[in-house]
């Protein structure tokens, strides 16, 4: 199903759509996170984008989707439902614009959890932060210690009429407001202010976060 986001003029109404599909069967979580783990977004208001937003969905380029898109199914009058938080405690390994405001990951933060597992959060909104250099004035910088309960960004700045960044701006209407999440399995301790590839390296891999997201209570939409 494809729907159009409600206009900004009816934000206060917070119109909720209700079509939700059952949870898929879970598979083993193969990227260990330390200590307390949490959902990266408000899972009462955000959902896994079924179909094109799932891990492994085919792309027109011939590749496959290497992550999971979390989307909203309503409009809300404040930014709180659009906040993104770390899935577990860790250290920021990468924080900058990756691609451009309309291509690639857009504003991207990667967190090293110290267990051989990194988490990746893409398409963060251009406000309330605007990346002007490597690290720029994003909410977090490389080397910062972060943890659950403290936002690392927002995937929409609803008050300033700013949508998700990167190629989320050019995808189908129901996915214009999203955060793309994934895990990277690689030796901990890597940081970069220039290249995501420097963190993945030749011995790392981007891995499926679906089982973890389902364990945190997400549903499909």
């Amino acid at each position: 199903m494809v729907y159009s986001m409600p206009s900004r003029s009816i934000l206060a109404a917070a119109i909720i759509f209700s079509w939700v599909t059952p949870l898929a069967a879970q598979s083993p979580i193969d990227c260990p996170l330390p200590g307390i783990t949490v959902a990266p977004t408000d899972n009462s208001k955000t959902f896994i984008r079924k179909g094109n937003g799932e891990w492994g969905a085919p792309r027109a380029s011939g590749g496959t989707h290497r992550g999971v898109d979390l989307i909203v199914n309503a409009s809300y009058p404040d930014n709180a439902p659009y906040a993104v938080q770390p899935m577990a405690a860790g250290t920021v390994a990468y924080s900058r614009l990756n691609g451009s405001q309309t291509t690639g990951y857009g504003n991207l933060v990667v967190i090293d959890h110290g267990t051989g597992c990194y988490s990746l959060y893409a398409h963060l909104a251009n406000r309330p932060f605007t990346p002007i250099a490597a690290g720029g004035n994003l909410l977090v910088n490389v080397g910062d210690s972060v943890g659950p309960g403290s936002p690392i960004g927002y995937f929409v700045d609803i008050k300033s009429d700013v949508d998700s960044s990167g190629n989320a701006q050019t995808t189908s209407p129901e996915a214009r407001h999203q955060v793309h999440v994934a895990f990277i399995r690689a030796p901990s301790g890597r940081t970069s202010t220039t290249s995501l590839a420097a963190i993945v390296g030749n011995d790392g891999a981007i891995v499926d976060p679906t089982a973890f997201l389902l364990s945190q209570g997400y549903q499909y939409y």
Side-chain angles (χ1 to χ4, degrees), residues 65-160:
H65 191 222
R66 305 293 286 173
V68 172
D69 296 339
L70 301 178
I71 60 171
V72 294
N73 72 335
S75 288
Y76 299 93
D78 63 89
N79 282 333
Y82 307 101
V84 180
Q85 66 174 336
M87 293 184 244
T91 303
V92 177
Y94 184 95
S95 178
R96 63 163 295 150
L97 184 66
N98 184 283
S100 73
Q101 288 303 319
T102 57
T103 64
Y105 281 139
N107 298 326
L108 173 65
V109 171
V110 176
I111 297 170
D112 178 3
H113 297 288
T115 56
C117 184
Y118 298 72
S119 56
L120 177 155
Y121 312 81
H123 303 315
L124 300 175
N126 199 45
R127 293 182 181 180
F129 46 84
T130 304
I132 56 176
N137 56 343
L138 286 158
L139 290 186
V140 293
N141 295 298
V142 172
D144 287 352
S145 295
V146 296
S150 179
I152 58 173
Y154 298 81
F155 63 94
V156 177
D157 183 359
I158 213 75
K159 290 185 175 181
S160 300

Side-chain angles (χ1 to χ4, degrees), residues 16-79:
I16 307 291
F17 300 95
S18 60
W19 296 281
V20 177
T21 62
L23 294 180
Q26 296 188 30
S27 58
I29 299 170
D30 62 351
C31 201
L33 294 172
I36 297 171
T37 60
V38 298
T41 60
D42 182 345
N43 60 12
S44 70
K45 297 181 174 68
T46 57
F47 299 83
I48 296 173
R49 179 189 175 210
K50 191 170 179 61
N52 285 337
E54 295 182 71
W55 175 271
R59 290 293 182 256
S61 63
T64 58
H65 191 222
R66 305 293 286 173
V68 172
D69 296 339
L70 301 178
I71 60 171
V72 294
N73 72 335
S75 288
Y76 299 93
D78 63 89
N79 282 333

